[in-house]
Amino acid sequence: MTIDITPEMTSRHYLASQKRYETMKYAYSGKSGLKLPMLSLGLWHNFGSSASMPNMKALCFTAFDNGVTHFDIANNYGPPPGSAEENFGKILHTDLRPYRDELIISTKAGYEMWPGPYGDHGSRKYLLASLDQSLRRLNLDYVDIFYHHRMDPETPLEESMGALAQAVKSGKALYAGISNYDAEHTKKAAAILAGLNCPFVINQVRYSLFNRQIEKDNLKEAARKAGCGIITFSPLAQGLLTDRYLTGIPADSRIAVSGKFLHESDLTEERLAQIRALNDIARRRGQTLAQMALSWILRDGAITSVLIGASKPEQITENIKIIQNTSFTDEELAEIDRIAPAAE
């Protein structure tokens, strides 16, 4: 179900679809009792101060109407930092508040947010102060998951994990998460949080056909032993794993327009050949390249949820079509491995 953008979206008229739970699939996050949808909506790129509020609402409504209950944010998402939380907080206040108990809302702290030594990294002071700021921007009393956004070698891991445990103990978060943690530090973080009786449920990491570092790091096995789930971001490699670049660089593409996350140098002839070869497999499967790239991440059951970003509601409805098609034949997997090997 796609939501059309209408003037009414600036008013309090949203009613969620009564069919919102009919097709989405959910999985437990690690050994916890928390279930996450197969696809979650990330608010990284398209919820900043220059974004259209009617479009942001349409994205959220389309996601929720299709069973996407998890909305993922961070303190520094925007631009500018903080604006994604502010905008989503407005949507929560005007439209989604009646559905709060059906939503999983997560935020993070770990990157620079304000000047000086206390606005970055992983200290107890920074993490707990940032969470308070996030709750104000979101108009919430608590978030469902609070993450430490990145490993910080300058701060004792015990201090960062202690701050997450304090956030949960205070009632400002229900669960603790980590993001961008490798296998070794995931195991250490899990042990510390277990000792603090803190519910640790998830590690959020980058993973795609073009970035298979977590396989080389054996993170899937580490997460299984630690009892936590894995949620992945950038599953489409910033748009490379879509049909946008099959014939080159479109004038309105991310590479051509901004160059902030993708550069022309990223689209080498070798990479373009990989994209086209993967697209051929997707077509044989009856999928778009983007759909197959998402399905591939969920192929073995080790990943709890995949974060998708969207600039249009239609992108959400297209991606959700993968729900019934995440299985691959051995031949397909072998061909994909030849095209995009884990060693890259």
Side-chain angles (χ1 to χ4, degrees):
M1 177 180 296
T2 302
I3 301 295
D4 294 326
I5 301 174
T6 65
E8 288 77 14
M9 286 184 178
T10 60
S11 303
R12 304 184 185 191
H13 295 302
Y14 172 65
L15 291 175
S17 170
Q18 294 184 359
K19 299 180 179 181
R20 59 189 176 275
Y21 296 116
E22 290 187 358
T23 58
M24 179 56 68
K25 295 181 179 180
Y26 302 84
Y28 286 107
S29 188
K31 295 180 180 178
S32 75
L34 180 67
K35 286 185 174 181
L36 295 181
M38 181 180 288
L39 289 97
S40 300
L41 184 64
L43 311 186
W44 183 14
H45 289 322
N46 299 306
F47 279 72
S49 60
S50 62
S52 158
M53 179 56 72
N55 189 61
M56 288 187 284
K57 288 190 174 188
L59 294 173
C60 292
F61 301 163
T62 298
F64 188 49
D65 280 347
N66 285 277
V68 175
T69 54
H70 180 208
F71 295 83
D72 179 80
I73 323 173
N75 59 353
N76 64 329
Y77 288 0
S83 58
E85 289 179 326
E86 290 176 353
N87 284 325
F88 188 63
K90 292 175 184 176
I91 296 170
L92 279 169
H93 179 71
T94 59
D95 296 285
L96 291 176
R97 181 73 62 179
Y99 307 102
R100 174 63 183 99
D101 292 337
E102 297 182 47
L103 304 177
I104 301 296
I105 299 170
S106 61
T107 195
K108 317 176 193 70
Y111 289 94
E112 184 178 5
M113 275 300 290
W114 61 86
Y118 316 121
D120 199 353
H121 301 299
S123 72
R124 177 183 178 87
K125 179 170 177 62
Y126 167 55
L127 293 179
L128 294 178
S130 180
L131 177 57
D132 284 341
Q133 292 181 20
S134 291
L135 292 175
R136 288 194 293 270
R137 287 190 288 263
L138 289 165
N139 291 307
L140 291 176
D141 296 324
Y142 72 94
V143 291
D144 297 277
I145 306 172
F146 181 49
Y147 289 87
H148 184 212
H149 207 163
R150 59 171 170 169
M151 296 184 293
D152 176 16
E154 303 301 320
T155 301
L157 189 58
E158 291 79 5
E159 179 175 345
S160 299
M161 296 305 100
L164 296 184
Q166 177 61 31
V168 172
K169 184 177 180 180
S170 69
K172 295 177 182 179
L174 300 185
Y175 302 93
I178 55 177
S179 182
N180 298 302
Y181 271 58
D182 61 21
E184 176 187 357
H185 289 87
T186 296
K187 290 184 284 189
K188 291 180 178 178
I192 295 168
L193 291 168
L196 296 170
N197 295 313
C198 179
F200 166 47
V201 294
I202 201 90
N203 186 1
Q204 184 176 137
V205 292
R206 188 186 300 271
Y207 187 38
S208 74
L209 279 163
F210 288 160
N211 187 329
R212 300 175 65 171
Q213 175 61 34
I214 71 168
E215 295 177 19
K216 293 186 286 183
D217 189 41
N218 206 23
L219 180 62
K220 291 181 181 181
E221 179 62 15
R224 186 189 67 80
K225 290 181 177 179
C228 73
I230 298 175
I231 184 169
T232 62
F233 67 91
S234 293
L236 304 181
Q238 298 296 333
L240 289 178
L241 289 164
T242 69
D243 59 9
R244 292 283 283 159
Y245 299 102
L246 289 172
T247 58
I249 302 176
D252 62 345
S253 66
R254 184 171 289 174
I255 291 177
V257 173
S258 71
K260 183 176 181 181
F261 300 103
L262 275 181
H263 306 89
E264 190 169 349
S265 59
D266 294 317
L267 197 64
T268 63
E269 285 300 320
E270 180 182 4
R271 181 64 86 199
L272 188 55
Q274 288 177 306
I275 294 169
R276 290 168 176 163
L278 291 168
N279 187 62
D280 288 341
I281 301 174
R283 277 195 305 214
R284 296 200 299 269
R285 288 173 49 83
Q287 292 183 308
T288 66
L289 176 54
Q291 289 168 341
M292 187 187 76
L294 295 172
S295 294
W296 176 85
I297 289 175
L298 295 163
R299 68 197 182 281
D300 57 7
I303 304 301
T304 310
S305 183
V306 178
L307 278 165
I308 57 172
S311 58
K312 301 175 183 177
E314 293 78 10
Q315 294 170 329
I316 296 173
T317 53
E318 280 298 303
N319 288 337
I320 285 173
K321 291 177 182 178
I322 75 164
I323 291 169
Q324 305 300 331
N325 193 8
T326 58
S327 297
F328 289 77
T329 66
D330 291 341
E331 291 76 17
E332 287 173 332
L333 291 174
E335 187 175 1
I336 288 170
D337 284 344
R338 287 194 297 271
I339 297 167
E344 285 200 348

